[in-house]
């Protein structure tokens, strides 16, 4: 393809996700991201109807395969699938043959023998979704892989910001917390920088990945600097389960230096949004008064997760083209 036709392609509105899987935000174009966000707006309307159901995925089977605990992601995928009229299955790893030593590939291939159309996978290993996409015919949707990506979380975060602020470009978005272990951070950096936001990341020096600046963000350990004039503050959980050593003296010390308090909030813009992907450690990365306060959109994020996941499922199944063919 020559440069001129590439430029023309980029200018044309993206009307379909022409890909088998959703593995990460890294591989999505700005147009594809905007298509998901626009489609999620229509899906959100479905959730306001007396009968919250459309036939878009009737006859499709979706398997939710979660190797790590989840409250928000697993539940909202299941609700999204049901609102689209798909047949859904939840695999309980603890009572499956995984406990007898069956590998991820064997588990997925055996599930595939029963002809599902999509597999929603959460796994502790970074790259598990890319691996399954190579061995499976089904569409693979990444619901969080190790410390790599959590694409639908970043999409619902962007949807929630755009809903309030009407734009992402030019906003100062401060992401504060355990940067090193966060797949939410990686997906959000890819997405927010692609859509033109001014992204700051902040945490203890031991929890800032060495190469983070090459992704186009400003990194600091001075929380006041990160929060100053911020339009959005996103707190990330301290992931003790992924830490092998001590990255800071104590949780009490972490809250004293980095915790989001009402006093620190005063440094941000008057219409700041407070976000957290959950689950929260109250009194560690965020004070309860802030989590439950007037600037918090944390439960809006959860509500929007259903609409965004409906959009992803619908678009990967072929969107309007699939519905016309049915
Ligand atoms: N945000 C998020 O992934 O939450 P869960 O672990 O509860 O799914």
């Amino acid at each position: 393809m020559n440069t001129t036709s590439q430029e023309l392609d980029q200018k044309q509105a993206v009307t379909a996700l022409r890909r088998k899987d959703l593995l990460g935000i890294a591989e999505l174009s700005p147009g594809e991201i905007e298509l998901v966000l626009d489609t999620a707006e229509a899906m959100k309307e479905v959730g306001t109807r007396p009968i919250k159901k459309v036939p878009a995925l009737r006859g499709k089977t979706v398997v939710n395969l979660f190797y790590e605990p989840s409250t928000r992601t697993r539940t909202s995928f299941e609700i999204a699938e049901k609102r689209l009229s798909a047949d859904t299955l939840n695999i309980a790893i603890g009572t499956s043959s995984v406990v007898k030593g069956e590998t991820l590939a064997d588990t997925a291939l055996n599930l595939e023998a029963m002809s599902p159309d999509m597999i929603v996978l959460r796994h502790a290993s970074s790259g598990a979704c890319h691996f399954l996409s190579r061995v499976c015919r089904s569409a693979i949707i990444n619901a969080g892989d190790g410390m790599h990506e959590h694409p639908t979380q970043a999409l619902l975060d962007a949807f929630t910001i755009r809903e309030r602020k009407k734009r992402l470009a030019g906003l100062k978005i401060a992401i504060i917390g355990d940067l090193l272990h966060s797949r939410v951070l990686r997906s959000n950096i890819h997405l927010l920088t692609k859509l033109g936001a001014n992204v700051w990341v902040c945490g203890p020096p031991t929890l800032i990945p060495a190469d983070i600046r090459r992704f186009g963000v400003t990194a600091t350990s001075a929380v006041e600097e990160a929060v100053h004039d911020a339009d959005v503050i996103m707190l990330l959980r301290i992931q003790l389960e992924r830490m092998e050593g001590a990255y800071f003296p104590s949780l009490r010390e972490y809250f004293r230096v980095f915790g989001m308090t009402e006093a620190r909030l005063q440094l941000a813009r008057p219409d700041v949004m407070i976000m957290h992907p959950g689950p929260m450690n109250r009194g560690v990365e965020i004070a309860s008064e802030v989590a439950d306060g007037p600037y918090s959109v944390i439960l809006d994020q959860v509500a929007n997760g259903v609409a965004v996941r409906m959009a992803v499922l619908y678009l990967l199944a072929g969107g309007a083209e699939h519905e016309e063919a049915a």
Side-chain angles (χ1 to χ4, degrees):
M1 191 187 283
N2 63 37
T3 309
T4 311
S5 55
Q6 267 175 353
E7 282 169 2
L8 281 173
D9 272 0
Q10 281 164 7
K11 282 185 187 135
Q12 279 166 359
V14 176
T15 56
L17 269 192
R18 299 199 189 284
R19 50 180 71 245
K20 170 179 159 286
D21 312 298
L22 177 65
L23 303 178
I25 301 294
E27 59 247 27
L28 295 186
S29 68
E32 287 178 304
I33 294 167
E34 278 170 2
L35 173 66
V36 175
L37 302 183
D38 293 345
T39 307
E41 280 181 19
M43 295 299 172
K44 189 161 178 173
E45 187 275 326
V46 173
T48 65
R49 298 180 191 172
I51 297 172
K52 304 178 185 64
K53 216 170 178 72
V54 288
L57 292 197
R58 196 166 51 198
K60 299 276 183 193
T61 304
V62 186
V63 175
N64 300 314
L65 183 57
F66 278 59
Y67 282 75
E68 283 190 323
S70 169
T71 298
R72 283 147 288 268
T73 312
R74 203 202 58 71
T75 311
S76 61
F77 262 114
E78 188 176 350
I79 293 173
E81 291 150 12
K82 289 190 156 85
R83 285 194 182 164
L84 292 170
S85 305
D87 297 314
T88 70
L89 281 92
N90 295 305
I91 307 296
I93 291 297
T95 54
S96 75
S97 288
V98 171
V99 294
K100 299 178 206 161
E102 191 161 51
T103 65
L104 171 62
D106 279 336
T107 300
L109 290 173
N110 278 273
L111 292 171
E112 273 223 318
M114 295 178 252
S115 304
D117 298 283
M118 297 184 182
I119 297 175
V120 179
L121 177 68
R122 170 169 288 192
H123 200 279
S125 299
S126 304
C129 298
H130 283 78
F131 170 69
L132 268 207
S133 89
R134 288 195 294 274
V135 299
C136 290
R137 169 200 48 76
S138 308
I140 305 296
I141 302 178
N142 184 351
D145 64 325
M147 301 189 299
H148 176 231
E149 280 227 37
H150 192 350
T152 57
Q153 179 68 46
L155 287 163
L156 74 88
D157 291 340
F159 182 87
T160 306
I161 297 169
R162 199 178 79 156
E163 195 173 48
R164 285 270 172 132
K165 305 281 188 191
K166 310 298 174 209
R167 67 190 167 105
L168 287 154
L171 296 180
K172 178 177 179 180
I173 301 180
I175 308 178
I176 303 168
D178 180 351
L179 310 175
L180 190 62
H181 300 102
S182 179
R183 54 197 177 203
V184 174
L185 174 76
R186 279 167 189 75
S187 288
N188 261 303
I189 287 179
H190 287 306
L191 192 157
L192 296 169
T193 55
K194 280 177 198 230
L195 294 195
N198 175 20
V199 181
W200 285 61
V201 298
C202 175
T206 48
L207 289 176
I208 299 180
D211 61 346
I212 195 91
R213 288 177 183 84
R214 81 181 166 89
F215 294 100
V217 302
T218 306
T220 178
S221 287
V223 71
E224 282 75 16
E225 194 186 9
V227 168
H228 180 73
D229 273 350
D231 296 285
V232 177
I233 299 173
M234 187 184 295
L235 289 320
L236 297 177
R237 186 170 68 88
I238 297 297
Q239 299 194 36
L240 293 172
E241 77 277 18
R242 296 193 206 275
M243 293 183 189
E244 283 173 5
Y247 287 83
F248 45 83
S250 67
L251 293 177
R252 184 194 292 251
E253 180 71 1
Y254 180 88
F255 180 67
R256 194 182 65 74
V257 179
F258 294 99
M260 193 46 51
T261 58
E262 285 182 317
R264 290 198 169 115
L265 217 50
Q266 301 303 316
L267 301 171
R269 292 181 65 84
D271 58 350
V272 67
M273 293 169 67
I274 294 292
M275 306 181 77
H276 194 306
M280 286 184 278
N281 295 311
R282 290 172 182 262
V284 179
E285 66 264 4
I286 188 166
S288 275
E289 304 79 65
V290 175
D292 304 327
Y295 303 103
S296 172
V297 296
I298 293 168
L299 294 179
D300 296 330
Q301 290 173 260
V302 179
N304 288 336
V306 175
V308 165
R309 288 171 176 129
M310 285 173 76
V312 166
L313 291 158
Y314 173 75
L315 290 168
L316 283 181
E321 289 170 11
H322 157 73
E323 288 196 288
E324 280 158 19

